[in-house]
Amino acid sequence: MRTRIRVILHSLLFLVLVVQVSRPVCVNVPSETEAVVGNPMKLTCISCMKREEVSAETRVDWYYIPPDEEPIPIYLFDGHPRELEGPWRGRLVWNGSKDLQELSISILNVTMNDTGTYNCKVFRQFEFDSYSNSVTKTLVINLVVREEASDDTTALYSEIMMYVLLVFLTCWLLVEMVYCYRKISKSDEQAQDTATNYLAIPSENKDNLNVPVTE
């Protein structure tokens, strides 16, 4: 019986580990804000959805905001991605994910004129059994274009901390797995020792164990 329980616990532990590893995770990562002339630049726009919202109808409008002027639409996703007329036409590439939680675009062959403010406006329409709801989210990206790349120590430290955190979480998970395994093994050993001690008792003593003591 205990062996069967042990197998079930191991199977559940393995299943939890597989689910945690394979489950897609959405994280609202801020966009890079510094580009280099001649290089591609990804404008990151992430809008995470709950699991029940994945089937929502999504529209994305990208704008360039000139100083003291009206926003200029440069890209549109409305079921399929398409560039709009303007100075960026032919240099914009869709970088959105299949589940439409990432709605990013990339600028190819960045120029100094690409410096400025960009808006990613996300509109989602959710259809439920008895009602519908819509949500609008706007992400602002202030892009700075440089002729040469500068040393960004903050980004380097952030990347190092991310890997340190990943290693820590992995070690913690391994420790938990080892702890559970040892606890189960110890329980099995105690049960086996109890059974061994009982079998080692002579038969007459076993009978005495079941006889109540009377005065």
Side-chain angles (χ1 to χ4, degrees), residues 97-127:
S97 59
K98 186 177 180 180
D99 60 2
L100 297 181
Q101 297 197 86
E102 181 175 1
L103 310 151
S104 308
I105 61 174
S106 292
I107 306 176
L108 304 179
N109 192 22
V110 172
T111 67
M112 294 297 296
N113 293 330
D114 294 333
T115 297
T117 302
Y118 296 81
N119 280 7
C120 172
K121 185 177 180 180
V122 182
F123 173 82
R124 298 194 192 275
Q125 181 74 35
F126 305 112
E127 296 292 340

Side-chain angles (χ1 to χ4, degrees), residues 12-153:
L12 290 175
L13 183 61
F14 177 76
L15 180 60
V16 170
L17 179 61
V18 170
V19 169
Q20 291 294 330
V21 172
S22 61
R23 178 184 299 172
V25 178
C26 179
V27 180
N28 287 308
V29 180
S31 176
E32 296 288 339
T33 58
E34 184 175 301
V36 179
V37 171
N39 292 344
M41 176 62 190
K42 181 178 180 181
L43 303 178
T44 302
C45 179
I46 296 178
S47 178
C48 296
M49 295 187 296
K50 298 178 181 179
R51 185 176 303 174
E52 63 271 13
E53 299 174 349
V54 174
S55 60
E57 181 180 347
T58 302
R59 174 190 171 100
V60 186
D61 293 277
W62 277 93
Y63 297 93
Y64 175 74
I65 315 295
D68 301 326
E69 294 184 24
E70 293 295 322
I72 301 175
I74 61 175
Y75 207 90
L76 169 65
F77 180 92
D78 189 11
H80 61 277
R82 55 192 176 98
E83 291 183 277
L84 303 178
E85 295 294 335
W88 291 265
R89 186 172 178 83
R91 296 194 298 124
L92 298 179
V93 178
W94 176 252
N95 268 335
S97 59
K98 186 177 180 180
D99 60 2
L100 297 181
Q101 297 197 86
E102 181 175 1
L103 310 151
S104 308
I105 61 174
S106 292
I107 306 176
L108 304 179
N109 192 22
V110 172
T111 67
M112 294 297 296
N113 293 330
D114 294 333
T115 297
T117 302
Y118 296 81
N119 280 7
C120 172
K121 185 177 180 180
V122 182
F123 173 82
R124 298 194 192 275
Q125 181 74 35
F126 305 112
E127 296 292 340
F128 300 97
D129 295 336
S130 57
Y131 70 99
S132 63
N133 186 31
S134 62
V135 176
T136 302
K137 175 183 178 182
T138 302
L139 177 68
V140 179
I141 302 173
N142 295 310
L143 181 64
V144 177
V145 179
R146 305 184 186 278
E147 294 184 355
E148 296 181 356
S150 60
D151 296 331
D152 190 354
T153 56

